Amino acid sequence: GRGVAAHLELEAESVDFGCVIVGESVARSIKLTNSGALDAHFVACLATEQKRSPYTITPRSGTVGAGLCGEVLVNFKHVKNQQFSGRIDIVFDRTGHEQRGAMSRTLTLALEGRAGYPDIVPAAKHVDFKTALLNHENTATLQVTNQGDARGEIRMVPADPAVLSFPRSEERRV
């Protein structure tokens, strides 16, 4: 006879979330493929060195049908400015049973992420628009640099919209 089994594979071996602003969250979807002839019942377990893990996974358990694909959603969010490492172990039984046994296999997904802050620094503290004529456009360039760890966003908000205005296209990410 011919043996049949569940055979689960991960789309990637690792996920790097990069640097995320402290307190914000970022999610990544990871594809699971079952190339086997039996359904693959899995359980996902988080393993990190921190007491409170900045990572979460949804769903924590599930089934990927024979010859089908599924996905798990990994989320990263933390309230401290530091680097985090961890892993997710996805355990499934090749015999198609929901119970772990001698035929259980473990897939490991390595996790990396950093929580940090943007630090937006303007090149000049003062922008001189010179003398502005009524009904004439008067522009000036303001250069800024992000010297922080995380991506930042700049929004130009005029103090008095009747005197100074910025079109929506002037919003920038740095």
Side-chain angles (χ1 to χ4, degrees):
R2 188 176 140 211
V4 293
H7 185 75
L8 205 56
E9 296 173 3
L10 284 170
E11 170 184 46
E13 293 181 5
S14 65
V15 176
D16 187 346
F17 289 91
C19 190
V20 177
I21 294 175
V22 171
E24 291 190 4
S25 65
V26 175
R28 300 280 192 272
S29 177
I30 304 299
K31 184 175 164 183
L32 297 170
T33 302
N34 181 2
S35 60
L38 297 175
D39 291 350
H41 304 282
F42 70 89
V43 175
C45 306
L46 282 166
T48 62
E49 295 176 10
Q50 295 81 21
K51 289 180 184 178
R52 293 187 63 199
S53 176
Y55 305 104
T56 57
I57 185 167
T58 307
R60 303 278 282 184
S61 63
T63 302
V64 180
L68 299 176
C69 297
E71 69 179 24
V72 293
L73 189 65
V74 182
N75 193 61
F76 173 74
K77 176 182 179 179
H78 210 276
V79 294
K80 288 186 179 179
N81 182 2
Q82 68 186 73
Q83 181 78 28
F84 297 96
S85 298
R87 74 175 194 273
I88 295 174
D89 291 332
I90 298 176
V91 181
F92 72 99
D93 193 275
R94 292 181 50 87
T95 63
H97 292 93
E98 291 189 37
Q99 309 299 325
R100 292 187 213 175
M103 292 297 290
S104 291
R105 298 292 181 259
T106 301
L107 305 173
T108 299
L109 180 66
L111 304 171
E112 289 290 329
R114 176 167 177 72
Y117 295 100
D119 183 13
I120 309 298
V121 179
K125 294 185 187 235
H126 176 75
V127 178
D128 187 358
F129 283 91
K130 310 274 187 236
T131 303
L133 298 174
L134 190 58
N135 294 326
H136 285 82
E137 185 176 310
N138 194 354
T139 62
T141 300
L142 174 63
Q143 292 182 341
V144 296
T145 305
N146 182 358
Q147 297 177 350
D149 297 326
R151 186 179 179 134
E153 187 173 297
I154 299 172
R155 289 197 176 115
M156 306 298 269
V157 180
D160 182 351
V163 174
L164 185 65
S165 65
F166 295 94
R168 299 283 301 157
S169 63
E170 290 301 313
E171 291 183 9
R172 301 281 191 246
R173 289 187 172 277
V174 290

PDB file of all heavy atoms in Angstrom, residues 10 20 50 59 75 92 94 110 112 122 129 174:
ATOM      1  N   LEU A  10       5.678  26.227   5.872  1.00  0.00           N
ATOM      2  CA  LEU A  10       5.553  27.669   6.079  1.00  0.00           C
ATOM      3  C   LEU A  10       6.024  28.420   4.847  1.00  0.00           C
ATOM      4  O   LEU A  10       6.987  28.006   4.194  1.00  0.00           O
ATOM      5  CB  LEU A  10       6.408  28.127   7.260  1.00  0.00           C
ATOM      6  CG  LEU A  10       5.895  27.824   8.650  1.00  0.00           C
ATOM      7  CD1 LEU A  10       6.978  28.118   9.687  1.00  0.00           C
ATOM      8  CD2 LEU A  10       4.668  28.659   8.937  1.00  0.00           C
ATOM      9  N   VAL A  20       9.102  49.698  14.611  1.00  0.00           N
ATOM     10  CA  VAL A  20       7.719  50.140  14.700  1.00  0.00           C
ATOM     11  C   VAL A  20       7.633  51.179  15.808  1.00  0.00           C
ATOM     12  O   VAL A  20       8.305  51.051  16.836  1.00  0.00           O
ATOM     13  CB  VAL A  20       6.806  48.936  15.038  1.00  0.00           C
ATOM     14  CG1 VAL A  20       5.366  49.351  15.205  1.00  0.00           C
ATOM     15  CG2 VAL A  20       6.935  47.869  13.961  1.00  0.00           C
ATOM     16  N   GLN A  50      10.952  37.476  26.684  1.00  0.00           N
ATOM     17  CA  GLN A  50      10.314  38.506  27.487  1.00  0.00           C
ATOM     18  C   GLN A  50       9.142  37.926  28.271  1.00  0.00           C
ATOM     19  O   GLN A  50       8.481  36.998  27.821  1.00  0.00           O
ATOM     20  CB  GLN A  50       9.798  39.657  26.584  1.00  0.00           C
ATOM     21  CG  GLN A  50      10.882  40.424  25.866  1.00  0.00           C
ATOM     22  CD  GLN A  50      11.390  39.733  24.610  1.00  0.00           C
ATOM     23  OE1 GLN A  50      10.715  38.895  24.044  1.00  0.00           O
ATOM     24  NE2 GLN A  50      12.596  40.072  24.197  1.00  0.00           N
ATOM     25  N   PRO A  59      -4.973  32.383  14.013  1.00  0.00           N
ATOM     26  CA  PRO A  59      -5.501  31.656  15.170  1.00  0.00           C
ATOM     27  C   PRO A  59      -4.386  30.898  15.869  1.00  0.00           C
ATOM     28  O   PRO A  59      -3.337  30.632  15.286  1.00  0.00           O
ATOM     29  CB  PRO A  59      -6.512  30.697  14.546  1.00  0.00           C
ATOM     30  CG  PRO A  59      -5.937  30.385  13.201  1.00  0.00           C
ATOM     31  CD  PRO A  59      -5.269  31.672  12.759  1.00  0.00           C
ATOM     32  N   ASN A  75       1.172  39.446  14.885  1.00  0.00           N
ATOM     33  CA  ASN A  75       1.104  40.864  15.211  1.00  0.00           C
ATOM     34  C   ASN A  75       2.259  41.227  16.147  1.00  0.00           C
ATOM     35  O   ASN A  75       2.611  40.453  17.032  1.00  0.00           O
ATOM     36  CB  ASN A  75      -0.239  41.155  15.894  1.00  0.00           C
ATOM     37  CG  ASN A  75      -0.523  42.627  15.972  1.00  0.00           C
ATOM     38  OD1 ASN A  75      -0.616  43.289  14.964  1.00  0.00           O
ATOM     39  ND2 ASN A  75      -0.656  43.133  17.188  1.00  0.00           N
ATOM     40  N   PHE A  92       2.132  20.125  14.183  1.00  0.00           N
ATOM     41  CA  PHE A  92       1.044  19.384  13.521  1.00  0.00           C
ATOM     42  C   PHE A  92       1.380  17.905  13.502  1.00  0.00           C
ATOM     43  O   PHE A  92       2.540  17.520  13.625  1.00  0.00           O
ATOM     44  CB  PHE A  92       0.805  19.913  12.096  1.00  0.00           C
ATOM     45  CG  PHE A  92       1.879  19.548  11.113  1.00  0.00           C
ATOM     46  CD1 PHE A  92       1.714  18.479  10.244  1.00  0.00           C
ATOM     47  CD2 PHE A  92       3.054  20.282  11.058  1.00  0.00           C
ATOM     48  CE1 PHE A  92       2.698  18.145   9.328  1.00  0.00           C
ATOM     49  CE2 PHE A  92       4.052  19.950  10.153  1.00  0.00           C
ATOM     50  CZ  PHE A  92       3.878  18.883   9.288  1.00  0.00           C
ATOM     51  N   ARG A  94       1.387  14.453  11.424  1.00  0.00           N
ATOM     52  CA  ARG A  94       1.383  13.981  10.026  1.00  0.00           C
ATOM     53  C   ARG A  94       0.302  12.948   9.748  1.00  0.00           C
ATOM     54  O   ARG A  94      -0.058  12.708   8.606  1.00  0.00           O
ATOM     55  CB  ARG A  94       2.758  13.420   9.657  1.00  0.00           C
ATOM     56  CG  ARG A  94       3.819  14.511   9.617  1.00  0.00           C
ATOM     57  CD  ARG A  94       5.180  13.989   9.236  1.00  0.00           C
ATOM     58  NE  ARG A  94       5.210  13.160   8.061  1.00  0.00           N
ATOM     59  CZ  ARG A  94       5.328  13.603   6.801  1.00  0.00           C
ATOM     60  NH1 ARG A  94       5.396  14.889   6.565  1.00  0.00           N
ATOM     61  NH2 ARG A  94       5.383  12.756   5.792  1.00  0.00           N
ATOM     62  N   ALA A 110      10.938  32.260  12.986  1.00  0.00           N
ATOM     63  CA  ALA A 110      11.721  33.205  13.784  1.00  0.00           C
ATOM     64  C   ALA A 110      11.114  34.604  13.651  1.00  0.00           C
ATOM     65  O   ALA A 110      10.676  35.006  12.569  1.00  0.00           O
ATOM     66  CB  ALA A 110      13.173  33.213  13.312  1.00  0.00           C
ATOM     67  N   GLU A 112      11.556  38.865  14.605  1.00  0.00           N
ATOM     68  CA  GLU A 112      12.406  39.986  14.999  1.00  0.00           C
ATOM     69  C   GLU A 112      11.578  41.256  14.892  1.00  0.00           C
ATOM     70  O   GLU A 112      10.762  41.403  13.976  1.00  0.00           O
ATOM     71  CB  GLU A 112      13.621  40.128  14.082  1.00  0.00           C
ATOM     72  CG  GLU A 112      14.660  39.056  14.227  1.00  0.00           C
ATOM     73  CD  GLU A 112      15.418  39.139  15.531  1.00  0.00           C
ATOM     74  OE1 GLU A 112      15.613  40.259  16.064  1.00  0.00           O
ATOM     75  OE2 GLU A 112      15.812  38.080  16.033  1.00  0.00           O
ATOM     76  N   PRO A 122      14.222  69.592  12.055  1.00  0.00           N
ATOM     77  CA  PRO A 122      14.241  70.515  10.912  1.00  0.00           C
ATOM     78  C   PRO A 122      15.651  71.054  10.695  1.00  0.00           C
ATOM     79  O   PRO A 122      16.426  71.207  11.644  1.00  0.00           O
ATOM     80  CB  PRO A 122      13.279  71.632  11.333  1.00  0.00           C
ATOM     81  CG  PRO A 122      13.278  71.596  12.826  1.00  0.00           C
ATOM     82  CD  PRO A 122      13.565  70.170  13.220  1.00  0.00           C
ATOM     83  N   PHE A 129       9.454  83.639   4.617  1.00  0.00           N
ATOM     84  CA  PHE A 129       8.687  83.698   3.377  1.00  0.00           C
ATOM     85  C   PHE A 129       8.843  85.043   2.672  1.00  0.00           C
ATOM     86  O   PHE A 129       8.201  85.304   1.675  1.00  0.00           O
ATOM     87  CB  PHE A 129       7.196  83.440   3.674  1.00  0.00           C
ATOM     88  CG  PHE A 129       6.893  81.995   3.895  1.00  0.00           C
ATOM     89  CD1 PHE A 129       6.931  81.458   5.171  1.00  0.00           C
ATOM     90  CD2 PHE A 129       6.589  81.163   2.835  1.00  0.00           C
ATOM     91  CE1 PHE A 129       6.658  80.122   5.385  1.00  0.00           C
ATOM     92  CE2 PHE A 129       6.317  79.821   3.038  1.00  0.00           C
ATOM     93  CZ  PHE A 129       6.355  79.303   4.316  1.00  0.00           C
ATOM     94  N   VAL A 174       8.555  60.396   6.659  1.00  0.00           N
ATOM     95  CA  VAL A 174      10.027  60.310   6.677  1.00  0.00           C
ATOM     96  C   VAL A 174      10.461  59.146   7.545  1.00  0.00           C
ATOM     97  O   VAL A 174       9.762  58.718   8.409  1.00  0.00           O
ATOM     98  CB  VAL A 174      10.676  61.608   7.176  1.00  0.00           C
ATOM     99  CG1 VAL A 174      10.506  62.697   6.166  1.00  0.00           C
ATOM    100  CG2 VAL A 174      10.147  62.026   8.524  1.00  0.00           C
TER     101      VAL A 174
END
